[in-house]
Amino acid sequence: MGSGSSTYRPKCIYLDIDGRIQKVVFSKYCNSRDIVDLFCIATGLPRNTTISLLTVDNCMVSIDPTMPANSESTPYKVRPVATGQLSEKEELFQSVLTQVAEQFSRVFKINELKTEVANHLAMLEKKVELEGLKVVEIEKCKSDIKKMREEMAARSTRTSCPCKHSFLDENKKLAPRRDVPSYPKYMLSQETIEALRKPTFDVWLWEPNEMLSCLEHMYHDLGLVKGFNINPITLKRWLLCIHDNYRNNPFHNFRHCFCVTQMMYSMISLCNLQEKFPKIDILILMTAAVCHDLDHPGYNNTYQINARTELAVRYNDISPLENHHCAVAFQIIAQPECNIFSNATQEQFKRIRQLKMVLIKCCDISNEVRPMEVAEPWVDCLLEEYFMQSDREKSEGLPVAPFMDRDKVTKPTAQIGFLKFVLIPMFETVTKLFPEVDEVMLQPLWESRDRYEELKQLDDTMKELQKKKSASLTTESTQK
């Protein structure tokens, strides 16, 4: 068996692009179509364009993995090949695409990066996807990916990209604490253990170290530590790293993470899910709840897309926050010191990437299931985060959602619609699957809806009285 460096050395091809030399790198695992796409990207042509390659002597070169390498002094020229007359609609469509690409490039100044990124990713993804790659080559891929991320991070500090948040700078939080975690082990009383299994649990009474200990207890109590041979110290390190990667937002913070996970734990207990689901699914549900809002910036997907932030660009406007939460979660798990799945089989790890989203979403938005004194502060926290976003959107000239505008929304109006059209229908669906949820979770939602409707009626009455009073004062002033 040869070494990775000698057997799988990538091939370098140099292109002449309007007098500028562009280097393109690809591996032997790339097929002809992949190589053509790389050349198109390097020359600024749309992908899937039919092209020909010419030597300095105007001889045609076959485009495939065995094509002869060249040097900077003998670059190939790329020529697009006409494939027939385009229709008027096709010409218009291509013109629009070209203009959009030019605008995108001018705004974000990524022309100098896109070729290099495409080259690296094409080569690395092919290597990782192919079955039977030697272990040494996989490690080499990981090293190359790490170097590429570091270079991208360095370049990002030198560009004038109008991103509103830098997520690459946050990577320092991903480093686990090497020492044995120092947070004190909170000895849970039997009363606390029983309360922790119920939706009525008061999540506001606990300090971060106590919440960490409660989360640790849940994993032990559900038999996940023993069932998957999780190193208890690794579990501690993982929980600490999770804590460090939640931001201090008004709503999307570590206490919200604990709140969602505790609701998932109570739902598992209430619905006896341990008897209905395989243990690996219980591990997935709990871990997804813990990780579901990792590194949330406090501004939702709509803002990310409208403000053209780094996350929106990175994920092409497709669920940027959800993709980011998942990416951070797997970055943490990728570190041996924090990998609680190190003893899971390959098949089990594949299932970990498929999450049972309905149950997770129910727990994520389940605050109104809790008693009023526990639930209502969360509404204030969420509105504070909404107002923070809408204020920023106004200052930046971006669209503002009415339900986030401090000048248009009130607590009752915000909650009534959310309860009637989102929460109650969702939990009614869950109740059909798990009837145990009805009395404990669905009934409180109906009560909460009724309470906010009463508050809205009171607000409307007060506004009407104030309106009449103002009208009366105006009339009196006019008569005088």
Side-chain angles (χ1 to χ4, degrees):
M1 293 177 63
S3 67
S5 60
S6 62
T7 308
Y8 296 97
R9 180 167 295 157
K11 179 170 290 185
C12 298
I13 298 295
Y14 294 89
L15 305 177
D16 181 351
I17 303 174
D18 297 329
R20 177 173 61 85
I21 305 301
Q22 175 66 57
K23 179 181 178 183
V24 178
V25 181
F26 60 87
S27 77
K28 71 176 186 178
Y29 300 110
C30 291
N31 57 37
S32 297
R33 186 68 259 173
D34 294 332
I35 299 171
V36 170
D37 284 346
L38 288 176
F39 289 167
C40 288
I41 292 172
T43 54
L45 294 170
R47 294 182 68 171
N48 299 320
T49 299
T50 303
I51 61 172
S52 62
L53 213 60
L54 304 177
T55 66
V56 291
D57 299 324
N58 290 324
C59 296
M60 294 191 67
V61 180
S62 174
I63 303 177
D64 59 61
T66 63
M67 64 188 295
N70 59 355
S71 65
E72 292 186 70
S73 60
T74 59
Y76 295 140
K77 297 179 181 178
V78 179
R79 293 287 183 269
V81 178
T83 58
Q85 190 68 26
L86 295 177
S87 68
E88 184 178 348
K89 287 186 177 179
E90 288 174 328
E91 288 181 346
L92 178 61
F93 182 67
Q94 288 206 1
S95 173
V96 171
L97 283 181
T98 302
Q99 293 178 34
V100 170
E102 290 175 354
Q103 291 294 328
F104 186 83
S105 298
R106 280 200 293 269
V107 173
F108 293 99
K109 297 188 177 180
I110 62 170
N111 279 333
E112 70 271 21
L113 295 177
K114 67 180 181 181
T115 301
E116 182 178 355
V117 171
N119 291 345
H120 276 289
L121 289 181
M123 180 179 68
L124 297 176
E125 288 173 355
K126 283 291 180 183
K127 287 183 179 180
V128 174
E129 289 172 0
L130 286 174
E131 295 183 0
L133 276 179
K134 297 188 293 293
V135 173
V136 64
E137 190 63 13
I138 293 175
E139 292 303 316
K140 178 67 166 56
C141 285
K142 290 180 180 178
S143 175
D144 289 347
I145 290 172
K146 181 179 179 182
K147 288 179 182 178
M148 187 183 75
R149 284 178 178 152
E150 290 173 351
E151 185 170 356
M152 288 284 289
R155 283 174 179 258
S156 71
T157 62
R158 299 196 296 268
T159 66
S160 58
C161 177
C163 302
K164 302 303 184 291
H165 310 287
S166 177
F167 292 86
L168 295 173
D169 293 343
E170 298 291 330
N171 281 347
K172 60 182 182 294
K173 291 183 179 180
L174 294 174
R177 306 183 190 182
R178 300 280 173 176
D179 58 329
V180 176
S182 57
Y183 69 85
K185 176 66 176 177
Y186 179 74
M187 301 303 294
L188 303 181
S189 67
Q190 190 59 38
E191 181 183 4
T192 299
I193 289 174
E194 292 298 325
L196 199 59
R197 296 193 182 106
K198 299 176 181 178
T200 53
F201 186 79
D202 192 341
V203 296
W204 296 103
L205 300 178
W206 310 88
E207 297 298 325
N209 66 299
E210 295 170 333
M211 289 187 281
L212 286 166
S213 289
C214 286
L215 291 172
E216 189 179 353
H217 166 79
M218 295 176 197
Y219 272 75
H220 282 278
D221 183 56
L222 292 171
L224 304 178
V225 176
K226 184 177 180 180
F228 294 94
N229 195 23
I230 299 174
N231 186 322
I233 299 300
T234 301
L235 178 63
K236 282 177 173 283
R237 284 202 183 98
W238 177 71
L239 287 171
L240 274 170
C241 204
I242 290 292
H243 170 271
D244 291 346
N245 281 276
Y246 273 93
R247 302 193 186 191
N248 293 323
N249 299 315
F251 184 89
H252 291 102
N253 49 41
F254 179 69
R255 190 176 299 277
H256 169 66
C257 153
F258 174 71
C259 185
V260 173
T261 309
Q262 187 274 323
M263 183 61 73
M264 178 64 74
Y265 178 66
S266 65
M267 186 173 285
I268 291 171
S269 176
L270 175 67
C271 301
N272 199 22
L273 296 186
Q274 287 178 287
E275 301 295 327
K276 300 172 183 177
F277 290 170
K279 185 161 286 189
I280 183 63
D281 287 359
I282 301 299
L283 176 64
I284 292 168
L285 288 171
M286 289 293 294
T287 305
V290 170
C291 299
H292 81 285
D293 272 334
L294 273 170
D295 199 35
H296 196 296
Y299 299 87
N300 68 11
N301 278 331
T302 302
Y303 175 83
Q304 305 296 326
I305 294 168
N306 288 341
R308 295 179 295 186
T309 65
E310 177 185 338
L311 281 188
V313 173
R314 183 186 301 174
Y315 294 110
N316 197 27
D317 292 351
I318 301 173
S319 303
L321 288 182
E322 289 75 13
N323 279 309
H324 181 61
H325 304 325
C326 188
V328 174
F330 280 96
Q331 282 179 303
I332 294 174
I333 292 171
Q335 301 172 87
E337 298 89 344
C338 296
N339 187 5
I340 61 173
F341 301 119
S342 60
N343 293 314
T345 66
Q346 186 175 5
E347 187 61 32
Q348 287 173 331
F349 192 76
K350 285 182 181 178
R351 291 187 68 179
I352 288 165
R353 298 200 75 120
Q354 303 166 353
L355 306 172
K356 288 176 167 53
M357 295 309 298
V358 172
L359 291 177
I360 295 166
K361 192 61 182 176
C362 281
C363 295
D364 186 19
I365 59 176
S366 63
N367 286 323
E368 291 300 325
V369 168
R370 301 180 185 276
M372 181 187 69
E373 61 273 14
V374 179
E376 191 157 3
W378 281 117
V379 181
D380 296 325
C381 292
L382 185 60
L383 287 177
E384 181 182 349
E385 198 165 293
Y386 280 175
F387 295 158
M388 180 175 69
Q389 174 173 322
S390 63
D391 290 346
R392 184 165 196 162
E393 287 169 332
K394 290 176 183 178
S395 68
E396 295 174 359
L398 299 175
V400 178
F403 68 90
M404 287 187 168
D405 193 336
R406 68 171 71 247
D407 299 324
K408 297 179 180 178
V409 72
T410 64
K411 191 185 298 185
T413 57
Q415 289 303 98
I416 290 172
F418 185 56
L419 282 159
K420 289 175 66 174
F421 303 112
V422 179
L423 272 177
I424 292 176
M426 182 176 289
F427 273 88
E428 285 176 340
T429 300
V430 173
T431 301
K432 295 176 183 177
L433 298 173
F434 307 108
E436 304 91 336
V437 167
D438 191 339
E439 183 177 352
V440 180
M441 295 185 175
L442 193 55
Q443 294 286 347
L445 294 179
W446 288 331
E447 294 170 4
S448 180
R449 176 201 59 192
D450 294 342
R451 183 169 60 86
Y452 279 114
E453 285 182 340
E454 290 176 2
L455 288 174
K456 184 179 183 301
Q457 289 177 1
L458 182 61
D459 284 351
D460 291 343
T461 300
M462 294 298 294
K463 288 179 182 177
E464 188 63 29
L465 289 174
Q466 186 64 38
K467 184 178 179 180
K468 289 180 178 179
K469 183 178 180 181
S470 298
S472 176
L473 291 174
T474 302
T475 302
E476 291 178 2
S477 177
T478 303
Q479 290 176 346
K480 290 180 181 180

